C-alpha cells in the first residue's frame, strides 16, 4: 500500500504507511528492525524521490542542483539515510541468504544515494561510487532474472552517464 501511495504522488501518506510497516517489521523480527528486500528498496525510493523533486539534483551538474538550501539539505539527509539503510541491508543479505535480487536492489539504492550526494557536492563531484554500485545493480538485476525491475537500474545509470559524459 505504501508504494502504491508513493506512485500515486501521495508522499506524506506513503511515508506514514512505510513508517507503520517498519514498526510492524521491528515487532515481527526485532533483529531486522528495518524494511529490507523489495520493501526496503521501495522505502528508499520514496525517501530519494521526495528530495529529487525538491532539490532537482539530476539537473545540470553543480553545487546544490538548483533547489533551495533547505531542499538541498533535506535531499542530502535522505541520501545519507538511504546509504546507511542500503549498506546495512547489503551486509545482512551477503551474510545470509545472498539473494540476487536483494543484493541488486541494495546496490541500486546505494548507487542512487551516492549519485545524489555527488551531485550535491560543493566540491568537484566524484561519481565513481555511484557508477560502481549502479553497474553492480544492473548486472545483478539481470542475473536475478527480474527483467521487469531492470529499467530501474538502467534509467538511473543513464542519468549518471548524462551527468558524466
Amino acid at each position: 500500500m505504501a508504494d502504491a501511495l508513493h506512485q500515486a504522488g501521495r508522499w506524506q501518506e506513503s511515508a506514514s504507511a512505510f513508517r507503520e510497516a517498519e514498526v510492524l517489521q521491528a515487532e515481527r523480527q526485532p533483529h531486522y528492525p528495518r524494511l529490507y528486500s523489495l520493501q526496503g528498496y521501495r522505502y528508499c525510493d520514496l525517501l530519494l524521490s521526495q528530495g529529487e523533486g525538491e532539490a532537482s539534483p539530476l539537473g545540470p551538474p553543480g553545487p546544490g542542483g538548483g533547489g533551495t538550501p533547505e531542499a538541498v539539505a533535506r535531499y542530502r539527509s535522505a541520501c545519507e539515510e538511504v546509504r546507511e539503510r542500503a549498506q546495512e541491508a547489503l551486509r545482512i543479505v551477503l551474510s545470509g541468504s545472498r539473494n540476487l535480487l536483494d543484493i541488486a536492489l541494495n546496490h541500486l539504492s546505494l548507487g542512487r544515494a551516492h549519485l545524489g550526494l555527488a551531485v550535491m557536492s560543493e566540491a568537484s563531484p566524484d561519481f565513481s561510487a555511484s557508477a560502481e554500485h549502479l553497474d553492480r545493480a544492473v548486472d545483478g538485476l539481470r542475473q536475478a532474472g527480474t527483467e521487469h525491475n531492470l529499467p530501474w537500474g538502467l534509467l538511473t545509470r543513464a542519468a549518471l552517464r548524462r551527468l558524466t559524459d
Side-chain angles (χ1 to χ4, degrees):
M1 179 179 83
D3 187 56
L5 290 166
H6 172 212
Q7 299 309 319
R10 295 165 58 183
W11 290 1
Q12 295 303 322
E13 292 169 83
S14 174
S16 178
F18 272 119
R19 285 190 298 272
E20 184 179 328
E22 203 154 66
V23 167
L24 295 173
Q25 169 64 30
E27 290 172 1
R28 192 174 58 109
Q29 292 182 303
H31 50 287
Y32 300 121
R34 291 183 169 171
L35 295 173
Y36 59 90
S37 192
L38 183 59
Q39 298 84 356
Y41 170 77
R42 288 179 170 165
Y43 191 17
C44 288
D45 182 44
L46 170 72
L47 294 171
L48 292 172
S49 296
Q50 288 178 305
E52 287 170 355
E54 294 176 345
S56 304
L58 298 180
T68 65
E70 296 80 17
V72 169
R74 280 192 304 273
Y75 183 64
R76 186 175 284 120
S77 177
C79 289
E80 290 168 356
E81 179 179 351
V82 166
R83 183 175 58 185
E84 178 196 331
R85 285 174 167 277
Q87 284 172 334
E88 179 184 345
L90 185 59
R91 278 192 300 274
I92 291 168
V93 73
L94 289 176
S95 69
S97 72
R98 300 192 64 83
N99 179 284
L100 293 176
L101 177 59
D102 292 348
I103 292 168
L105 292 175
N106 287 314
H107 280 294
L108 181 54
S109 291
L110 284 166
R112 289 181 64 195
H114 281 286
L115 178 59
L117 290 169
V119 171
M120 292 296 167
S121 173
E122 294 179 13
S124 179
D126 178 5
F127 294 104
S128 60
S130 181
E132 179 182 338
H133 285 292
L134 293 175
D135 285 343
R136 287 183 178 189
V138 169
D139 291 344
L141 290 168
R142 285 187 173 126
Q143 290 173 3
T146 58
E147 302 275 327
H148 59 287
N149 296 329
L150 188 57
W152 295 338
L154 293 173
L155 288 169
T156 306
R157 195 166 67 176
L160 168 67
R161 290 185 177 164
R162 181 176 57 91
L163 293 170
T164 58
D165 287 343

